[in-house]
């Protein structure tokens, strides 16, 4: 978590840093700060709260430097306070840090820092160690320090007596960088560089970069010069602003027809799914005996849909495992296992660690990620990129539906590799998949109707969501969405499971959202709806097409979903659930894009 930005060039750094920090706030927004390199030393301005607060503090100070670094924090060690905000200074050294120094207590003892540190953070210890080792050689000080650190870090460092230069090094936590006219920029995320360049490189782990007016110097820890490997951002950078919408979440929901279409078209060649550009041979799909999906949160929910598709259409056993639990449950993963690591950011540490573990077990790993060159992508044998573009809102929407698009394509490619489908079946499947973006457009055109549905949940303390099979998988995601952006307690239940306990919670005050899109499950789903209605629940029904039950069910509200083949109902239905959560949050007057306690990129275990 935490966002880092650095700039050296010809322009006034303060406002550049503040603008970038606002873009990076999705990575953490507990506090913000900057350090400016001046001829007479380093000026630090920092405070608890958002970048808005920081800007106020900056107005009160003189910030006329052309070299500086900034940080936006998601608190781990030490509460949310001015003193715990980054940058941290110790002696003549100033540091910003993203990640966790696991052995900071041991280091505090070892370097006699008790009583000398002013914050409660693990990061200040790094500043103190750098100060301890610094004797006019920044590279030696950085090398000696990082070799003693356990944990993950992206560090940017300034030395008072080296004006105009910023040094950076990382382990696991990301830093991307680029040379620009008259200087250089670096950040935790490409989105913050896009105002300056569309060419960037990922700072290799344990390499020291020095950013100055002349550009970037890069060395490995033995002092050997290294060459950065530049990549091109192929994102439309206009996707990094709100484009007239009040919140990124709404904008990103609205972008879905375009990005789903782009994802599908990227991997369709001559009308069939084709992953040969990512060099994935069909043998990978043909020879695996089981599949294991590792992911967190929304990405894991995408995996659950993938499991249903693959198990029902290909007949291979699929496990979906929370990445944070993966290693601790003795997973059965071996060279016959195909591991799919799904992640928007490509930086989620739980998923990354699970992936590394799976690799050690000999599994073949494909990652489905959105961010090019991210750690999960780099650590996977094969990568399939989703084409969602930058996703800024903490609540994931377009990343989820593009992950689903990839999973639909993978399922079809697997069927081809195993000779399971005839031409007609493949053609029918692909033509329905290609129709998805259009159907999503239809749903989005009915946003006012969905806004009206949201009214039924606005005052609720708890919301239950019920469905079976694929409908249940979608509801797990719909429920997460509602919880995280509206703060309403919500649970998704497989509707057949309700009567084994949970039904005790159903009262007249509890809205129950029921989803019915799967023909083979419909009659059972309708019976389960009757059960909660008999206990007074007000049911909001999302149902495929005109398939309304004949009997009188007296629903609170009904939304008729556009018709698709059952297995393709997932994406249009999910979009309705995203909009529902969005409208509840916006109508409650909440900060939709930055829900409390959260951060977009979770780089701590
Ligand atoms: C969902 O809205 C959340 N932002 C969260 O669950 C997220 O999907 C999860 O943290 C995984 O992130 P990743 O896709 O970047 O790995």
């Amino acid at each position: 978590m935490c966002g880092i930005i650095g700039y050296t060039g010809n322009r006034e750094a303060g406002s550049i840093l503040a603008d970038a920090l606002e873009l990076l706030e999705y990575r953490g927004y507990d506090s913000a700060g900057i350090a400016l390199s001046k001829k007479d030393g380093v000026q630090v301005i920092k405070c608890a709260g958002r970048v808005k607060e920081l800007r106020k503090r900056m107005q009160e100070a003189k910030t006329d430097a052309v070299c500086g670094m900034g940080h936006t924090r998601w608190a781990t060690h030490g509460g949310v306070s001015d003193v715990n905000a980054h940058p941290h200074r110790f002696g003549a050294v100033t540091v910003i840090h993203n990640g966790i120094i696991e052995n900071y207590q041991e280091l505090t003892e070892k370097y006699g820092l008790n009583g000398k540190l002013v914050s409660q953070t693990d990061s200040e210890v790094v500043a103190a160690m750098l100060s301890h080792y610094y004797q006019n050689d920044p590279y030696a000080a950085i090398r000696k320090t990082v070799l003693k650190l356990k944990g993950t870090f992206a560090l940017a460092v300034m030395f008072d007596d080296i004006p105009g230069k910023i040094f950076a090094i990382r382990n696991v936590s990301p830093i991307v960088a680029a040379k620009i006219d008259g200087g250089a920029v670096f950040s935790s995320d490409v989105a913050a560089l896009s105002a300056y360049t569309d060419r960037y490189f990922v700072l290799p782990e344990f390499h020291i970069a020095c950013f100055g007016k002349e550009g970037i110097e890069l060395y490995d820890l033995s002092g050997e010069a290294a060459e950065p490997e530049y990549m091109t951002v192929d994102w439309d950078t206009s996707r990094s602003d709100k484009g007239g919408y009040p919140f990124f979440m709404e904008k990103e929901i609205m972008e879905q027809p375009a990005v789903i279409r782009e994802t599908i078209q990227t991997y369709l060649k001559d009308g069939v799914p084709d992953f040969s550009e990512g060099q994935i041979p069909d043998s990978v799909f043909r020879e695996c005996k089981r599949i294991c999906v590792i992911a967190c949160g929304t990405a894991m929910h995408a995996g659950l849909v993938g499991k249903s598709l693959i198990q029902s259409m290909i007949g291979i056993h699929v496990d979906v495992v929370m990445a944070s639990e993966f290693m601790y449950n003795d997973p059965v993963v071996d060279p016959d296992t195909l591991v799919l690591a799904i992640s928007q950011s490509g930086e989620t540490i739980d998923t990354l660690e699970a992936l590394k573990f799976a690799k050690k077990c000999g599994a073949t790993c494909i990652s489905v990620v959105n961010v090019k060159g991210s750690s999960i992508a780099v650590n996977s044998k094969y990568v399939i990129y989703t084409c969602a573009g930058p996703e800024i809102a903490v609540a994931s929407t377009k990343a989820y539906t593009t992950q689903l698009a990839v999973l639909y394509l993978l399922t079809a490619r697997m069927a081809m590799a195993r000779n399971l489908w005839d031409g007609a079946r493949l053609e029918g499947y692909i033509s329905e998949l290609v129709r998805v973006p259009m159907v999503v457009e239809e749903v989005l055109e009915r946003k006012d109707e969905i806004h009206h549905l949201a009214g039924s949940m606005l005052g609720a303390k708890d919301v239950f969501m019920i469905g079976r099979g694929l409908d249940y998988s979608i509801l797990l995601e719909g429920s997460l969405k509602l919880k995280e952006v509206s703060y309403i307690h919500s649970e998704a239940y497989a509707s057949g499971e309700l009567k084994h306990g949970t039904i005790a919670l159903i009262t007249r005050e509890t809205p129950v959202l029921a989803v019915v899109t799967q023909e083979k499950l419909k009659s059972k789903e309708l019976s389960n709806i009757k059960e909660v209605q008999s206990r007074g629940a007000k049911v909001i029904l999302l149902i495929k097409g005109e398939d309304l039950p004949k009997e009188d069910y007296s629903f609170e509200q009904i939304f008729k979903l556009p018709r698709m083949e059952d297995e393709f109902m997932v994406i249009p239905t999910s979009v309705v659930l995203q909009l529902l959560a969005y409208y509840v949050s916006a109508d409650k007057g909440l900060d939709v894009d930055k829900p409390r306690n959260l951060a977009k990129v979770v780089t701590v275990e």
Side-chain angles (χ1 to χ4, degrees), residues 103-115 117 121 125:
N103 57 338
Y104 78 105
Q105 269 166 330
E106 191 188 314
L107 295 169
T108 304
E109 296 292 326
K110 187 168 169 196
Y111 289 85
L113 296 172
N114 279 314
L117 302 172
T121 65
V125 177

Side-chain angles (χ1 to χ4, degrees), residues 296-299 342-346 348 394-396 403 480-481 484 602:
C296 299
T298 295
I342 307 179
S343 172
Q344 185 285 129
S345 61
T348 302
V394 166
S396 185
Q403 285 158 359
L480 172 64
K481 220 78 306 170
E484 70 177 333
V602 183

Side-chain angles (χ1 to χ4, degrees), residues 253-262 401 434-450 559 562 564 571-573 575-576 579:
I253 290 173
M254 295 300 166
E255 279 172 1
Q256 288 178 110
V259 295
I260 297 169
R261 189 173 288 122
E262 195 178 327
T401 48
V434 167
R435 216 162 68 75
V436 168
M438 285 175 276
V439 178
V440 170
E441 261 155 22
E442 273 177 54
V443 167
L444 294 175
E445 276 160 20
R446 293 167 62 195
K447 66 185 168 79
D448 293 341
E449 233 181 290
I450 301 170
F559 185 89
M564 298 203 77
I571 296 184
T573 312
V575 172
V576 177
L579 275 173

